[in-house]
Amino acid sequence: MTVIVHHLENSRSQRVLWLLEELGLPYEVRRYERNKATMLAPPELRHVHPLGKSPVIEHGGQAIAETGAIVEYLVALGDGKLGAPGHREDALRWQHFLHYAEGSLMPPLFTKLVLSRVPLFGKMAQKKFQPMIDVHLDYVEGELGARPWFAGAEFTAADVMMSFPLEAAVSRANATEGRPHIAGWIAKIHARPAYQAALTAGGPYAYA
């Protein structure tokens, strides 16, 4: 049964397309463009899910929202491929980064984006947020310095989850400046054939 992906341009939903390509699962893309004035998702997405956000997938008569929940659903659908490694410590890292991406790393990055659109005061406030973001980026740099992928020796869905906040951090918070392990990791994921295939399926993506 085909997975339907409601894909908003330049958004978290790019990760869902990438994961589907990595898993080799059949899917259909329904694309949505942002409002050019507000950069918000169009109202049509509310017909899919009450929150009107992306990503949302439809499969087996169910609409599933939230990237982390979607990733766990698709990993299960793919018989556990790219799921938690067998080693306990690696499995704990897998679970941690699956939730850390949106729960801890993304909020300050999103706040900085919002502040960048506020005249005068916003620019001043951004400077106060950068040190908070640097704490996270330095933490991530240390983790990637200790192992090639977020959960350990092998690429997993945890890397897929971490892609969007780190790609956003490159343009919003100088993520790769003085952080060679983050830079190297981003280069590795961008070189994966499944990542490139997802770009073709999803259309223009500003963070690639």
Side-chain angles (χ1 to χ4, degrees):
M1 187 180 297
T2 299
V3 176
I4 298 172
V5 183
H6 295 273
H7 171 59
L8 178 66
E9 64 178 342
N10 295 326
S11 77
R12 294 162 166 83
S13 58
Q14 187 64 38
R15 289 179 292 191
V16 176
L17 303 181
W18 177 24
L19 181 59
L20 284 161
E21 288 287 348
E22 293 281 0
L23 296 173
L25 296 173
Y27 68 94
E28 172 190 336
V29 181
R30 297 187 183 172
R31 296 186 183 90
Y32 300 81
E33 293 185 0
R34 295 179 181 275
N35 181 294
K36 300 306 178 187
T38 65
M39 297 306 293
L40 297 176
E44 290 83 357
L45 271 169
R46 288 186 182 151
H47 300 309
V48 183
H49 189 278
L51 291 176
K53 304 292 185 180
S54 177
V56 177
I57 65 168
E58 290 184 88
H59 186 256
Q62 295 287 327
I64 303 166
E66 295 297 334
T67 313
I70 291 170
V71 166
E72 290 187 287
Y73 181 88
L74 294 178
V75 166
L77 191 63
D79 295 325
K81 182 180 177 182
L82 303 185
H87 191 277
R88 184 174 181 275
E89 288 187 5
D90 290 348
L92 287 172
R93 274 193 291 268
W94 184 88
Q95 188 175 42
H96 167 74
F97 284 109
L98 205 68
H99 296 280
Y100 170 82
E102 290 293 328
S104 293
L105 182 53
M106 199 62 212
L109 289 168
F110 180 74
T111 301
K112 188 174 182 184
L113 174 65
V114 172
L115 290 172
S116 71
R117 296 174 180 172
V118 178
L120 191 59
F121 172 77
K123 291 182 179 180
M124 295 170 59
Q126 281 185 76
K127 294 179 180 179
K128 293 186 177 181
F129 262 85
Q130 187 61 47
M132 301 179 198
I133 295 170
D134 286 337
V135 169
H136 286 284
L137 294 177
D138 290 342
Y139 164 66
V140 169
E141 176 71 8
E143 290 294 300
L144 289 175
R147 59 195 65 85
W149 300 102
F150 277 103
E154 304 295 330
F155 172 84
T156 68
D159 295 284
V160 176
M161 273 299 294
M162 287 293 291
S163 63
F164 183 77
L166 286 179
E167 288 173 327
V170 171
S171 61
R172 298 178 196 173
N174 302 316
T176 55
E177 188 174 316
R179 299 184 183 95
H181 295 110
I182 291 179
W185 179 87
I186 289 175
K188 282 194 302 184
I189 66 168
H190 286 181
R192 293 182 71 87
Y195 185 99
Q196 293 298 318
L199 290 179
T200 300
Y205 178 59
Y207 304 109

